Amino acid sequence: MSVQYTIEDLKLIGQQIGATSIEDVLSYLNGKSSMGQTIPMVGKTLNTATLGTMPKEVGRLAGSRMGRGFARAVPGMAAALNILGLADIVAGDDSLGNKIMDTALTTGATGLGAVFGGPLGASVGAAAGKSASDGLQALFGGGRSAEERKLEEALMMLNGGRG
């Protein structure tokens, strides 16, 4: 899939970004502007997670008061996780390989999220991609330095093989 923009398209995007006000940003972060998109997305996600056999009660949950509250919280939470994830990639003391993996998974998930859910999907995708990267690194030891792994092995030997 190829995405091609003309100069006019890019100028229009720049004008739209320039026309964004503080109120627009706050409306997005508190979920008012995206709630209409988030509630159906939650319903579709629940239906996909249950392999298309989602009970009606679960579907009603997405539109309930609690579901609407969750939908309003999603944009702000995703934005906060994006900021924390970016700070970890840029300023964290992780290895270069860790940073590359974080960047790759975050970028890929952001792209997928944008395709399926627009700006909100991109933000949620970025947060999910960074979390997935960190989770995989924790499972397979990618988040620890060689010295930390040696110290853990020595500690295990001192404890008779128990972690």
Side-chain angles (χ1 to χ4, degrees):
M1 180 172 108
S2 172
V3 178
Q4 296 180 0
Y5 291 102
T6 65
I7 298 292
E8 290 78 25
D9 293 337
L10 295 175
K11 286 180 183 177
L12 179 62
I13 291 170
Q15 289 171 350
Q16 290 172 342
I17 291 171
T20 302
S21 68
I22 296 295
E23 290 83 23
D24 294 336
V25 173
L26 293 175
S27 177
Y28 173 79
L29 289 176
N30 76 17
K32 285 182 184 176
S33 64
S34 61
M35 197 163 70
Q37 176 188 2
T38 307
I39 290 173
M41 229 170 33
V42 169
K44 287 179 187 175
T45 302
L46 290 171
N47 195 40
T48 301
T50 59
L51 303 175
T53 60
M54 179 179 70
K56 289 182 181 182
E57 294 80 18
V58 176
R60 280 189 233 128
L61 173 69
S64 71
R65 182 180 178 120
M66 184 172 68
R68 287 192 311 273
F70 175 74
R72 286 189 67 173
V74 168
M77 288 188 308
L81 289 171
N82 295 160
I83 292 166
L84 292 172
L86 179 62
D88 181 47
I89 292 171
V90 171
D93 60 351
D94 299 323
S95 69
L96 180 61
N98 183 312
K99 290 176 186 276
I100 290 171
M101 182 176 173
D102 285 350
T103 302
L105 284 177
T106 300
T107 303
T110 301
L112 282 174
V115 168
F116 293 108
L120 177 61
S123 183
V124 171
K130 176 68 170 90
S131 297
S133 176
D134 289 345
L136 288 170
Q137 291 166 4
L139 281 174
F140 299 109
R144 296 187 307 262
S145 68
E147 290 177 16
E148 289 172 324
R149 285 192 292 271
K150 287 179 185 176
L151 286 172
E152 285 179 4
E153 290 173 13
L155 184 62
M156 280 182 57
M157 290 170 55
L158 287 172
N159 287 328
R162 294 183 305 276

